[in-house]
Amino acid sequence: FDMFVLAFVERLFRPTFRKDDFVLGKKLGEGAFGVVYRVSLAKKPSSKEGDLVLKKATEYGAVEIWMNERVRRACANSCADFVYGFLETSAKKGGEYWLIWRFEGADTLADLMQSREFPYNVETMILGEVQDFPKGLERENRIIQTIMRQFLFALDGLHSTGIVHRDIKPQNVIFSEGSRTFKIIDLGAAADLRVGINYIPKEFLLDPRYAAPEQYIMSTQTPSAPSAPVATALSPVLWQMNLPDRFDIYSSGLIFLQMAFPALRSDSGLIQFNRQLKRCDYDLVVWRKSVEPRAGAEMRRGFELLDLDGGIGWELLTSMVRYKARQRTSAKAALAHPYFDREGLLALSFMM
Ligand code: ADP
Ligand code: MG
């Protein structure tokens, strides 16, 4: 069956919406390229807070709609459930793209990491009940493993589809209350290399706190975007050559690091870490040698967590945060890393 026919039939039977269908609720976020609200349907005011999310986006909204449509067909569970996107034209503002998703939940990973309870607050959300096992390093490690596994699973879905996110950070990882798993949001800076959409990196979209040192996704020797059909034919090769997905892996490694070290969860802590790592030529082992001798109790605890089980956590971390993109692991390989093997064993040991 032809993909185009399928896509057409799907569109035909999906509900379409326009501006007046929505009642605006609380503002959830405001960036340079759009404003995000919680909304409900005017026809269906049953839920008072609204079970949908609306992003009113500027010119980049067109690409974001395209990315979300593609994700829904290719790897739906990786990202927030996309409902509909359209161009809204008004006399006052001209063109504005409206994007609608299902409301996944109230907390991003950033919100959850700000809590002093982290990672125990996440354990409760994933398991839905309070555990009475003693709190300790092994249990924290197990929760962080689960978060990383769910997140990397979502990221692998995107990468296997040919999409690089380019804005991976805790603010763009949301806890889906329905599926009790973490999903990725905000495809506003994403690039689909297989069809040449958003092919030329827009560096100004990148968040410097989480960006890998190369900054550019494609090497500068790839001067311009080929036309769509050529890009389709060439891009798997380009993907192999440039490994653009490894940009997201670096950012993912920083999230892992922030989960292990509470001091790196604040903006200032992360910025300071980035400065230190740069001074160490992006070598985590050198960084560790420089900070560990004068580390306080909290920081030592972070290293201790990563050192559990023969240091497999530390091994995974150092395979993600590397200067050279081609030396970084992929999302798929990371999921197969022994760090995630122990999970079942540890869960069992809790019960004994
Ligand atoms: P921005 O371009 O402003 O970063 P995002 O797509 O990241 O836009 O959305 C901004 C914020 O809105 C997110 O950090 C999150 O708190 C919330 N949000 C976005 N999408 C959803 C969703 N599907 N369900 C619940 N909250 C969402
Ligand atoms: Mg965002």
Side-chain angles (χ1 to χ4, degrees), residues 28 221 225:
L28 296 176
Q221 284 124 43

Side-chain angles (χ1 to χ4, degrees), residues 31 36 55 64 108 165 167 169-173 185-188:
V36 179
K55 183 187 269 189
E64 196 173 348
T108 65
H165 187 282
D167 198 14
K169 53 185 175 185
Q171 291 81 356
N172 286 337
V173 179
I185 56 172
D186 199 353
L187 298 168

Side-chain angles (χ1 to χ4, degrees), residues 28-37 52-53 55 64 80-81 101-108 111 167 169-175 185-188:
L28 296 176
E30 178 158 18
F33 304 98
V35 192
V36 179
Y37 302 90
L52 299 174
V53 167
K55 183 187 269 189
E64 196 173 348
D81 203 356
W101 295 267
R102 216 155 289 294
F103 179 80
E104 295 282 355
D107 298 301
T108 65
D111 300 322
D167 198 14
K169 53 185 175 185
Q171 291 81 356
N172 286 337
V173 179
I174 197 152
F175 186 75
I185 56 172
D186 199 353
L187 298 168

Side-chain angles (χ1 to χ4, degrees), residues 278-290:
K278 192 174 178 187
R279 249 183 270 126
C280 300
D281 289 324
Y282 296 93
D283 188 330
L284 265 184
V285 176
V286 174
W287 171 77
R288 179 171 184 166
K289 282 197 186 118
S290 76

Side-chain angles (χ1 to χ4, degrees), residues 33-319:
F33 304 98
V35 192
V36 179
Y37 302 90
R38 193 161 175 182
V39 299
S40 52
L41 281 177
K43 279 184 302 203
K44 200 183 130 225
S46 50
S47 66
K48 57 178 187 317
E49 286 211 89
D51 44 19
L52 299 174
V53 167
L54 160 69
K55 183 187 269 189
K56 295 184 184 179
T58 57
E59 64 266 36
Y60 298 114
V63 177
E64 196 173 348
I65 291 175
W66 195 93
M67 294 291 169
N68 276 279
E69 295 272 358
R70 177 144 168 72
V71 162
R72 185 181 42 213
R73 284 194 295 271
C75 54
N77 296 327
S78 286
C79 295
D81 203 356
F82 186 60
V83 178
Y84 192 64
F86 57 96
L87 178 64
E88 163 62 30
T89 42
S90 75
K92 258 190 293 169
K93 293 184 187 165
E96 203 176 49
Y97 289 95
W98 284 37
L99 292 87
I100 311 288
W101 295 267
R102 216 155 289 294
F103 179 80
E104 295 282 355
D107 298 301
T108 65
L109 183 56
D111 300 322
L112 294 166
M113 281 193 336
Q114 289 313 313
S115 161
R116 289 180 59 194
E117 281 295 298
F118 185 86
Y120 296 109
N121 56 339
V122 175
E123 181 183 48
T124 315
M125 294 172 85
I126 290 172
L127 300 175
E129 64 205 46
V130 181
Q131 303 293 297
D132 51 9
F133 301 118
K135 294 189 174 178
L137 216 52
E138 294 236 330
R139 185 166 157 203
E140 284 162 41
N141 187 40
R142 189 175 63 106
I143 305 164
I144 292 172
Q145 272 175 359
T146 306
I147 299 169
M148 279 305 285
R149 186 173 40 75
Q150 291 183 352
F151 160 70
L152 284 169
F153 187 77
L155 188 64
D156 178 40
L158 278 185
H159 289 172
S160 302
T161 304
I163 295 174
V164 189
H165 187 282
R166 302 200 295 189
D167 198 14
I168 290 294
K169 53 185 175 185
Q171 291 81 356
N172 286 337
V173 179
I174 197 152
F175 186 75
S176 168
E177 285 164 8
S179 62
R180 283 198 180 148
T181 57
F182 285 93
K183 294 182 175 181
I184 293 167
I185 56 172
D186 199 353
L187 298 168
D192 188 326
L193 296 150
R194 298 205 175 168
V195 280
I197 296 277
N198 206 354
Y199 187 88
I200 301 172
K202 298 197 286 283
E203 316 99 76
F204 58 87
L205 285 177
L206 305 179
D207 188 322
R209 292 169 302 170
Y210 291 89
E214 67 267 24
Q215 306 277 320
Y216 310 91
I217 308 303
M218 304 299 283
S219 85
T220 43
Q221 284 124 43
T222 317
S224 63
S227 61
V230 178
T232 307
L234 283 180
S235 57
V237 178
L238 286 175
W239 186 279
Q240 280 302 313
M241 275 170 37
N242 294 287
L243 302 169
D245 59 314
R246 304 303 200 273
F247 186 85
D248 289 344
I249 295 297
Y250 185 93
S251 315
S252 307
L254 293 194
I255 296 181
F256 189 15
L257 202 75
Q258 288 185 298
M259 290 200 279
F261 299 102
L264 304 192
R265 289 176 202 160
S266 67
D267 264 7
S268 56
L270 183 59
I271 289 165
Q272 192 194 350
F273 165 81
N274 284 334
R275 245 186 266 123
Q276 292 172 344
L277 190 64
K278 192 174 178 187
R279 249 183 270 126
C280 300
D281 289 324
Y282 296 93
D283 188 330
L284 265 184
V285 176
V286 174
W287 171 77
R288 179 171 184 166
K289 282 197 186 118
S290 76
V291 297
E292 203 170 16
R294 51 187 171 84
E298 192 191 67
M299 181 142 244
R300 280 204 305 275
R301 204 164 183 279
F303 286 118
E304 224 178 291
L305 184 143
L306 294 165
D307 283 344
L308 288 172
D309 305 313
I312 45 177
W314 174 255
E315 210 287 324
L316 174 62
L317 178 67
T318 53
S319 72

Side-chain angles (χ1 to χ4, degrees), residues 9-23:
V9 170
E10 200 217 359
R11 266 223 97 110
L12 206 68
F13 286 99
R14 238 179 330 117
T16 57
F17 296 102
R18 42 197 300 278
K19 187 182 178 212
D20 298 334
D21 294 331
F22 302 103
V23 181

